[in-house]
Amino acid sequence: SLAYAFYAVDMNSEAKVVVSRNSIKLEINTKEKLAYIRETNEGKVSDYTSTLNLYVSSLDLARDLANAFECAVDTSEQSIIKFADNSDIRPWLSENISQVELGEETISQQMAVQEDAENQLTIDIETKKTDGESSASTYILYPEDLSLEKLAIKVSGKRLYVLLHTEKGKYIKRLENDQVQNFVSDTEVLFYDPLVAKNFMSAIRTLHLNSLVEDRSEMPVEEAMAFLLESVQNVNIPDEQFEQSLEFSDEDKCRVTFTRVETDSKGIGTEYRYEFALSDLHAPSAKYTIKGASVIINLVTEGGEKLIKPYKHSEAGNFVDDFSIYADDVLQAKKILGAFAALSEACK
């Protein structure tokens, strides 16, 4: 048997009475034609729709129901949770990001917040089909990167979900069955209930606001040096490996050597080395970009002057104005840029 569920606050208050030769019905619709009416068949979601028809036995009853419906909608209130801080959000996510059954698929979802990593969000999704086939996906993202303008509930057939979209690029790290994939700009979290989805959006908005960092360059010199020595590390992605190291000169801590050994899918390695002065770097011009499964951090000299000495397999080349460091995490890239900015300013 079919059953329908909806929230009065999502509905237009005006119900339309439709009389035909064979029936009398009350037609009710959602605001903005949003498909927030859930249809279930034998207890399982079969569709989401924006219109519901209620068939009645008489015209008087239809009118009475229309008046009662209008009153119910007009007096309904939105009950979206306003989260104060992360201590409220973590248990809510644990309880409400859960399993969803869609036809022949059962999708289990978990979301975790890592506060010491600027509220990093990890979404683990396991999909099981009735034929026994299964797959596991993991998405890692940072609330600061999310677009609040594109944070929205979407409906497609039996699927009701909240779209998470990174505003400025493909900043969501993705793994499929523990294998690193290319970065993406979108992922989704499934729900049965539109109100729970709205509460989830409220949680994401709070996390976004609590995660904004204006300036990562505000760190002591010793801390910045230690961070770079620890964070400029090897990166392994499909078909490529990058062995990387950073060395500060014993005589002058403002002079640095960066070494990168790139190994391709055939096992052929190429060594690059760059020698430069931290004072020559121009922090505002530095940036990171996404290429496939890697994050490329590009450091540039002030005014584009060719002040960086490059080597390839220990053979010196002509001076250049930039070089790149590879990473596999967006926050790591942001912090590396911040540390270089702090050191560059201190060395000027």
Side-chain angles (χ1 to χ4, degrees):
S1 62
L2 296 177
Y4 297 88
F6 58 88
Y7 290 96
V9 72
D10 293 325
M11 308 302 293
N12 282 320
S13 60
E14 184 178 350
K16 184 179 180 182
V17 177
V18 180
V19 180
S20 65
R21 181 176 181 180
N22 299 317
S23 66
I24 302 172
K25 69 179 181 180
L26 193 68
E27 181 183 292
I28 58 177
N29 298 278
T30 60
K31 296 172 182 174
E32 299 178 9
K33 296 184 179 180
L34 296 170
Y36 287 175
I37 301 172
R38 182 174 70 247
E39 177 190 275
T40 57
N41 189 355
E42 302 297 334
K44 294 186 177 182
V45 175
S46 52
D47 196 14
Y48 286 91
T49 183
S50 61
T51 301
L52 179 60
N53 292 316
L54 304 175
Y55 290 88
V56 295
S57 58
S58 71
L59 185 58
D60 287 339
L61 178 57
R63 289 169 176 164
D64 288 343
L65 285 174
N67 290 331
F69 183 79
E70 181 178 357
C71 181
V73 171
D74 288 343
T75 57
S76 63
E77 295 182 359
Q78 192 75 272
S79 55
I80 298 174
I81 299 172
K82 293 182 179 179
F83 294 94
D85 52 40
N86 291 7
S87 62
D88 296 330
I89 292 174
R90 289 195 309 273
W92 189 92
L93 292 175
S94 178
E95 183 177 346
N96 290 278
I97 307 298
S98 56
Q99 181 174 293
V100 175
E101 293 185 10
L102 295 173
E104 297 181 351
E105 292 184 336
T106 299
I107 302 169
S108 300
Q109 307 172 114
Q110 288 184 322
M111 179 179 281
V113 181
Q114 188 176 338
E115 290 189 63
D116 62 358
E118 297 187 14
N119 297 324
Q120 179 194 76
L121 296 175
T122 300
I123 306 171
D124 291 312
I125 302 171
E126 183 180 16
T127 303
K128 292 183 179 180
K129 297 184 178 181
T130 53
D131 61 6
E133 183 181 344
S134 65
S135 62
S137 305
T138 298
Y139 297 88
I140 300 170
L141 60 151
Y142 296 94
E144 180 185 50
D145 297 323
L146 291 174
S147 167
L148 296 188
E149 290 184 1
K150 293 191 176 181
L151 182 67
I153 298 174
K154 302 286 186 179
V155 179
S156 177
K158 302 176 184 179
R159 299 166 61 89
L160 184 146
Y161 60 92
V162 173
L163 178 71
L164 299 177
H165 174 80
T166 50
E167 189 169 15
K168 297 180 180 179
K170 295 181 178 181
Y171 293 163
I172 301 175
K173 186 174 183 177
R174 180 170 65 102
L175 295 90
E176 296 291 340
N177 298 316
D178 295 325
Q179 299 299 309
V180 175
Q181 307 295 313
N182 290 347
F183 278 79
V184 295
S185 58
D186 300 285
T187 188
E188 59 190 47
V189 180
L190 292 163
F191 296 93
Y192 282 131
D193 190 319
L195 179 58
V196 179
K198 292 176 184 179
N199 286 331
F200 173 69
M201 291 167 59
S202 176
I204 292 297
R205 290 190 186 96
T206 300
L207 284 171
H208 174 81
L209 293 174
N210 291 345
S211 303
L212 298 175
V213 178
E214 289 186 11
D215 187 0
R216 291 185 175 82
S217 67
E218 295 181 357
M219 64 174 77
V221 169
E222 294 299 324
E223 181 183 332
M225 291 176 62
F227 176 80
L228 288 175
L229 289 172
E230 180 184 358
S231 300
V232 176
Q233 55 189 312
N234 298 345
V235 174
N236 296 319
I237 59 175
D239 300 326
E240 271 188 307
Q241 295 180 332
F242 302 94
E243 295 178 50
Q244 302 179 122
S245 63
L246 202 67
E247 182 181 353
F248 293 90
S249 170
D250 292 333
E251 291 78 20
D252 182 357
K253 296 299 183 184
C254 288
R255 295 205 62 82
V256 182
T257 299
F258 168 67
T259 304
R260 184 181 71 244
V261 179
E262 300 181 11
T263 304
D264 62 20
S265 59
K266 297 179 180 179
I268 299 173
T270 306
E271 182 188 78
Y272 299 93
R273 190 169 81 250
Y274 301 89
E275 297 175 353
F276 59 96
L278 288 165
S279 58
D280 291 332
L281 298 180
H282 188 234
S285 299
K287 62 181 181 179
Y288 65 91
T289 56
I290 305 297
K291 182 180 179 182
S294 62
V295 187
I296 304 174
I297 304 155
N298 186 242
L299 296 163
V300 185
T301 61
E302 190 158 4
E305 291 190 66
K306 296 184 178 182
L307 302 172
I308 301 170
K309 186 66 174 177
Y311 297 83
K312 183 176 180 180
H313 292 307
S314 299
E315 184 176 334
N318 295 330
F319 279 85
V320 295
D321 63 358
D322 75 318
F323 69 96
S324 296
I325 297 174
Y326 283 75
D328 60 4
D329 179 84
V330 169
L331 179 58
Q332 181 188 36
K334 292 177 183 178
K335 288 186 172 182
I336 287 174
L337 286 175
F340 271 113
L343 293 176
S344 176
E345 183 63 28
C347 288
K348 290 188 185 299

